[in-house]
């Protein structure tokens, strides 16, 4: 599936408004955040990605035309600014990123513009009408999905968008949603054989291993000499003795642990196998619930561990996963059918692209593109690091 269709797919319509903005810019505003404000993502860093600056291009020059509707280089760069802003690109690096990486990234904007223009034109030709009430409902839904602490106007200002542009994008996207629904209404549902085959071929997605909830006290000894290690181990042994005699685990952790988890009484939450360093994992999973471990040595130092809860491994049955699999397979079939429909529109369209700009389209960054949710019995936890190293003395 091409990059621009992923942007226009119904599941991504709301996200795309704040990620890039599907309509052509009406002007060429700056996407720079207000003074003193940083981008929400804040982690984007182009250091090491930038090479020699690309040759300057006249912003008024036409980049691509679709059935008489044109996108200029300047308009494409505004769309790129919105995309980069949504990914957290710092304002001070924006011009440099565009100057040096713009040519390779414009291919993605071209594909998005071509796809969205074809779909919008077809939806208008089919006379799919969108009421003001539908626009306001979609806008309200979009607002509820903003990150906590972010209001819509701030997000739009950061990306150089106006409320009028957003309402226009929503109206266009709602038309495309109705076009999608019309074109895929007769796509057959997944058969029982297809559902069963998917379940059997993806068995690992429906299995969940044993997990435990645990807390620990760490006496740090990372990179310590033998004398310091002996001292740390002795302290850990003394704390373990207090725990066995009935001392409060959370209180001792808060007062003595060198792990940041001390703030939570030593709690590491819930985790499965493969998430902690081997010695820690082996000791923790061997413990009975509420038992106090012997002192355990790892590269971080010496630990006293207590398992406070345990969840046995399980597998989601085909019956339990049936509806979820059916929905996913139906979505795949509909998307494939709609992609074929779009390719038909493309074949009939007159598309002219500036030859100097023709380059492989840049693949969407994970920060912008929304991948389909993994079909699992429960979302797979992110890899958890081993217990943190002791804080600096």
């Amino acid at each position: 599936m091409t990059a621009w269709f992923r942007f226009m797919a119904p599941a991504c319509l709301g996200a795309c408004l704040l990620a890039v903005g599907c309509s052509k810019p009406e002007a060429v505003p700056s996407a720079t955040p207000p003074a003193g404000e940083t981008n929400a993502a804040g982690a984007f860093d182009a250091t090491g990605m930038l090479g020699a600056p690309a040759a300057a291009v006249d912003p008024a020059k036409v980049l691509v035309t679709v059935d008489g509707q044109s996108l200029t280089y300047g308009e494409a760069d505004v769309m790129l600014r919105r995309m980069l802003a949504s990914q957290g690109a710092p304002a001070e690096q924006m011009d440099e990123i565009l100057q040096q990486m713009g040519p390779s990234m414009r291919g993605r904007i071209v594909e998005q513009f071509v796809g969205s223009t074809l779909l919008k034109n077809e939806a208008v030709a089919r006379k799919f009408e969108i009421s003001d009430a539908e626009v306001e409902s979609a806008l309200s839904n979009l607002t509820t999905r903003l990150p906590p602490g972010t209001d819509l106007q701030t997000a739009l200002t950061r990306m150089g968008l106006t409320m009028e542009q957003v309402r226009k994008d929503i109206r266009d996207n709602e038309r495309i949603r109705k076009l999608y629904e019309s074109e895929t209404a007769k796509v057959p549902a997944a058969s029982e054989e297809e559902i069963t085959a998917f379940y059997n071929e993806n068995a690992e997605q429906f299995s969940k291993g044993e997990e435990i909830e645990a807390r620990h006290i760490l006496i740090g000894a990372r990179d310590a000499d033998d004398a310091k290690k002996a001292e740390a181990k002795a302290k850990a042994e003394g704390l373990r003795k207090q725990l066995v005699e009935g001392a409060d685990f959370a209180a001792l952790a808060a007062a003595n642990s060198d792990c940041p988890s001390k703030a939570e009484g030593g709690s590491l939450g819930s985790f499965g196998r493969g998430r902690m360093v081997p010695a820690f994992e082996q000791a923790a999973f061997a413990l009975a619930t509420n038992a106090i471990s012997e002192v355990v040595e790892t590269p971080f130092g010496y630990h006293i561990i207590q398992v406070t809860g345990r969840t046995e491994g399980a597998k989601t049955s085909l019956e339990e996963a049936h509806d979820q699999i059916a929905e996913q397979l139906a979505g795949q079939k509909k998307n494939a059918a709609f992609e074929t429909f779009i390719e038909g529109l493309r074949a009939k369209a007159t598309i002219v692209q500036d030859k100097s700009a023709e380059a492989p389209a840049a693949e969407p960054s994970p920060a912008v593109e929304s991948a389909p949710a993994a079909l699992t019995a429960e979302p797979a936890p992110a890899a958890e690091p081993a217990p943190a190293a002791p804080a600096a003395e």
Side-chain angles (χ1 to χ4, degrees):
M1 190 182 297
T2 55
W4 55 265
F5 176 60
R6 283 191 290 254
F7 265 87
M8 298 308 301
C12 303
L13 294 181
C16 111
L17 294 178
L18 294 183
V20 180
C22 299
S23 62
K24 280 179 33 171
E26 296 173 0
V28 185
S30 168
T32 304
E37 182 180 337
T38 58
N39 289 308
F44 188 106
D45 185 4
T47 303
M49 297 169 59
L50 304 177
V57 181
D58 180 0
K61 184 178 181 181
V62 173
L63 174 60
V64 63
T65 301
V66 181
D67 288 337
Q69 295 177 250
S70 299
L71 179 75
T72 67
Y73 278 86
E75 291 166 338
D77 285 352
V78 171
M79 296 171 76
L80 276 174
R81 284 179 181 274
R82 292 174 186 167
M83 180 187 72
L84 291 167
S86 76
Q87 296 184 32
E92 62 272 16
Q93 293 187 17
M94 193 74 75
D95 289 340
E96 188 177 6
I97 294 169
L98 282 174
Q99 185 179 24
Q100 300 186 31
M101 299 177 64
S104 64
M105 299 172 73
R106 285 191 193 107
R108 176 180 174 187
I109 296 300
V110 166
E111 286 299 301
Q112 182 191 336
F113 177 76
V114 170
S116 62
T117 300
L118 291 172
L119 291 171
K120 284 187 283 188
N121 289 349
E122 181 67 15
V124 169
R126 299 270 195 99
K127 301 187 185 308
F128 289 113
E129 295 300 330
I130 306 299
S131 68
D132 290 343
E134 288 175 296
V135 172
E136 293 306 314
S137 175
L139 183 61
S140 176
N141 181 53
L142 177 62
T143 302
T144 64
R145 292 187 283 118
L146 289 170
T150 302
D151 64 89
L152 182 59
Q153 190 57 60
T154 298
L156 298 182
T157 300
R158 180 178 293 125
M159 281 169 276
L161 288 166
T162 66
M163 191 65 74
E164 182 181 356
Q165 286 173 300
V166 169
R167 284 193 168 91
K168 180 181 182 300
D169 284 342
I170 287 175
R171 195 175 297 276
D172 288 338
N173 286 331
E174 286 297 294
R175 284 195 182 102
I176 292 171
R177 180 182 59 78
K178 290 186 177 183
L179 176 62
Y180 177 93
E181 291 174 351
S182 175
E183 285 297 316
T184 61
K186 295 182 180 180
V187 172
S191 67
E192 292 302 317
E193 291 76 14
E194 290 172 324
I195 293 171
T196 301
F198 182 92
Y199 179 82
N200 291 334
E201 291 167 9
N202 298 274
E204 72 285 351
Q205 295 187 21
F206 302 98
S207 297
K208 180 182 176 183
E210 177 188 16
E211 290 193 354
I212 58 173
E213 292 178 25
R215 54 186 179 178
H216 79 141
I217 298 172
L218 168 66
I219 306 303
R222 190 170 191 172
D223 301 324
D225 59 27
D226 289 345
K228 289 290 186 181
K229 284 185 175 181
E231 182 181 332
K233 185 177 182 180
K235 181 177 179 180
E237 293 284 6
L239 291 171
R240 180 184 181 278
K241 183 173 183 297
Q242 293 180 55
L243 291 170
V244 170
E245 292 173 351
D248 183 85
F249 196 107
L252 281 187
N256 297 278
S257 183
D258 291 317
C259 177
S261 64
K262 66 188 293 180
E264 304 296 330
S267 176
L268 295 170
S270 179
F271 55 90
R273 295 183 184 275
R275 300 273 295 277
M276 299 293 182
V277 292
F280 189 98
E281 175 186 299
Q282 183 177 355
F285 276 88
L287 275 176
T289 303
N290 294 322
I292 303 295
S293 74
E294 299 293 333
V295 172
V296 178
E297 182 179 2
T298 76
F300 299 98
Y302 298 91
H303 310 255
I304 309 103
I305 308 167
Q306 183 181 41
V307 171
T308 57
R310 189 180 304 271
T311 303
E312 298 300 328
K315 182 176 181 178
T316 303
S317 68
L318 174 58
E319 290 71 25
E320 293 170 318
H322 181 280
D323 291 348
Q324 190 180 8
I325 296 172
E327 183 178 356
Q328 178 169 325
L329 294 181
Q332 291 174 356
K333 287 186 173 188
K334 288 183 176 183
N335 286 348
F338 200 56
E339 179 71 14
T340 300
F341 168 72
I342 294 169
E343 291 306 321
L345 296 179
R346 178 186 282 269
K348 295 184 294 183
T350 300
I351 303 170
V352 181
Q353 183 176 350
D354 179 28
K355 293 296 183 183
S356 63
E358 290 182 355
E363 278 300 310
S365 160
V368 172
E369 181 185 345
S370 299
L375 190 59
T376 57
E378 188 165 311
E384 180 172 325
E393 290 292 332

